[in-house]
Structures are given as structure tokens and as C-alpha cells.
Amino acid sequence: MSQILDALSPLDRQAVDKFREYLRIPTVHPDIDYEPCIKFLEQYARDLGIPVKVYRNIPTKPVAVFKWEGKESGLSTIMLNGHMDVVPVYRDKWTYEPFGAEIDDKGYIYGRGAQDMKWISILYLEAIRRLKLDGVVPKRTVYVFFVPDEEYGELGLREFVKTKEFRNLNIGFGLDEGDSSPNDSYIAYYGEKSCWQFTIHCPGQTGHASLILKNTAGEKVRYLVDKFSDFRRTEEKKLEDDSSLKLWDVTSVNLTQLGGGVQPNVVPEELTLTYDVRISPGTNVKDLERKINRWCKEAGDGIWLEYYEKEAQRPITVLENSPYWSALAKVAEKRKINLEKKVCLGATDVRFLREMHIPAIGISPMRFTKPLAHDHDECVNVRAFLEGLQFYYDLLPELANV
Ligand SMILES: [Zn+2]
């Protein structure tokens, strides 16, 4: 056993023990049974002395919400969000048992969900435990959410935000996960790109490949590839011309698949182009869609689009003049931690809050840490874990007293 654990204070030890207990519950896709996790949370609530309510609007997808009650019940509340589910593992690639929460002699705790994102959920609750022990009563009520199916599926927070039970919680601001940072800063995500993936079907006149036929699929493809490539180049040039712009300030366009044809001497009946487009938050998606439809029309007859992913415009959280952002920045400054403002290239549950016009930030208070979400041997060092705990201990009263 690790000497590192023996050296911890009783409160730190308790936090680490809770984290390891949570890691051992295999809330892993597919077909997750959330009930053992809910049992763990109900016991946890009794232990903390705060209530937890389990919403079962979708019986197999429970949402557990802890309530740390504020003094002023009329005010909007703070939501701390965490997903219970984790992605599958390649067991043979792990040095440690993925649901064993083993600790090595350098203090690394291993387990699926260690970074994504079971550690954060435990930090929320353990910060509240300490604040309660210190007699702190927040002004605004703070809710800690444990939600299902963030990694996979449609029935997690996406559905819960649409319920009247959610509306009744009167959330005014939300925190969710971000990414761990390999350098000395914390990353604060205030927006996300929207993802579109689609195949363009280009039908055309088929026939013998020795002829020069009209209305061929190949000519349509050529027109479209030019249009998309020109657009891609325009976005790329924006980055080259202005060094202050980041990848999320522009829209990425990539041709990811080409399909069609039967054999070399037959002009194909259809060719297909598949694109992946990640739209910057500043882009008007309706304009983009009109542009794509126009190109398809111009390219020739019969072209049609098949969408696999077509996300709506994603609102960003405006940080200027936000008292919640100021609270976050104040705590980071106090703790001498640099905050890096970014737009997330992927997607987390935080987007469902922004879609409900609730300002929200995605942050994982973990630095000097190799990001290992979804990777083999996912782990967190005890020191990083306890630093994160200190961060929430300082942050929660600031947010709740806005
Ligand atoms: Zn996650």
C-alpha cells in the first residue's frame, strides 16, 4: 500500500477514499446499470448531511441532484455538473485493473473515469463537506448533478434540461468538465464548435467510359470539391493572416470520404463526397447551409445531401461583465493559476445548459497532467486531486455569493 495515503490528513484521506470508491463502480458503456451508483450517492448524501434527489423521468437513466441549500431561496442557483458514465476500456492495454482504483508509489490513482470525470464530481462534494465543517452557508443554493449518458446516448442531460423539474431548480450558472492541462494553467471553455457531417450524393449519366458524356457524376464532384476547398482555404488564410486567431475562430472543412463507381470502364451512376465541418461559434449556420445548398444546385441535377450530424448554432457564454467569470478569475488569481480561455473542439453536456441560455464554463482544475480521457491507464495524481479540491473549496463560496 502506498505510503502517500498514510501521510494524508484524515479529511484528505476521506476524499481520496470516496474517489476510489466511485472509480470502482463500473458505470461503463454499453448498457449501464446506474443503480449501484445511485445507491453509492444516496449513502454519500447521508454521510455529507445534505439531501439528494433522484429524478427518474426516464427510469433507466436516473439523474441524482445533491442540494446544498443557500440562505436566499429566491435567487437563481449554481449547478455543478458531472456525468456518471465512462467509456469502455481495452483491458489488455491497461497496466492496472481499470475498475480497481489502484494507487502506485508515486501517488497516481488508476481507473476509467479518473480524469473523465469522476474525480471532479467527488471534488464538488468534498469541497462542500469542508465548507460545511467550516460553518459556511452559501447565499445561493448549489446543486451537484450526477447525470447519465454523456459519453454515449441521447437520454442524459440533453433530455433532463427539457423537464419542468429542471426548470424548477432555477439554475443561473453552471460548471462542468473541461480538459486537464499539461502546463501550469487551467483551461476554461466558454463555447463549443458545432459539428456537421454529411455525404453529398452526386448522381450522373452512366455509360461507356470511352465516351464524353454530359451530366456526369465526376463533373459534379469536381465543381463541389473546388467550392469546398476554396472555402477551406479562406478559413485557413484567416488563421495565417491574423496570429491572434485560434483554430476555434475559424470553420474547419475536411473531405473525409470518397465513394462510388463499379469498374474502370464504366462511367458511374453516382459518386459521393463526405465532409466533416466544425463550425466556429461566430458563424451563422443558416448562411452556411444556404451556401452549401447553392453549391449543390450549381453543381448539377439531382444532387442530394444526407446528414449524419447537423448541430444547431451553439451559443457561447459571454465572459465580459459576467460576475461568475469574475469569481472564477478571482480564485484563479488568488491561487496564482493562469486561466486559458478556449472554445472546446469537442462537445460535452455543458452545451445543453448554454442552449437553455444558462451561462456555463467547462473547467477541469488539473494542471501539469497529461490528458488521458478515454486513454489506457487513465489516472490522476493524489497531489493534483487535492489541489483541485482546494480550488473548489475557494471557488464554491465565491460563485454562490455572487
Ligand atoms: Zn467527460
Side-chain angles (χ1 to χ4, degrees), residues 16 117 134 329 341 348:
V16 171
M117 62 171 286
D134 292 346
K341 289 182 264 182
T348 70

Side-chain angles (χ1 to χ4, degrees), residues 111-166:
R112 175 56 88 223
Q115 291 192 16
D116 185 11
M117 62 171 286
K118 287 183 167 177
W119 74 292
I120 294 179
S121 295
I122 298 298
L123 295 186
Y124 295 150
L125 293 180
E126 290 302 317
I128 290 173
R129 184 198 300 279
R130 287 169 194 221
L131 289 161
K132 279 187 74 211
L133 282 173
D134 292 346
V136 176
V137 180
K139 193 164 96 178
R140 290 167 195 272
T141 293
V142 175
Y143 291 111
V144 183
F145 277 59
F146 286 76
V147 300
D149 286 24
E150 189 271 350
E151 297 287 3
Y152 183 75
E154 309 273 301
L155 301 176
L157 190 63
R158 182 196 294 257
E159 284 305 309
F160 190 63
V161 295
K162 298 174 190 163
T163 63
K164 74 170 187 307
E165 287 85 353
F166 179 80

Side-chain angles (χ1 to χ4, degrees), residues 51-70:
V52 66
K53 185 160 182 179
V54 181
Y55 296 89
R56 295 182 186 276
N57 303 46
I58 303 168
T60 55
K61 310 288 179 194
V63 174
V65 182
F66 289 74
K67 182 181 189 183
W68 185 31
E69 190 150 9

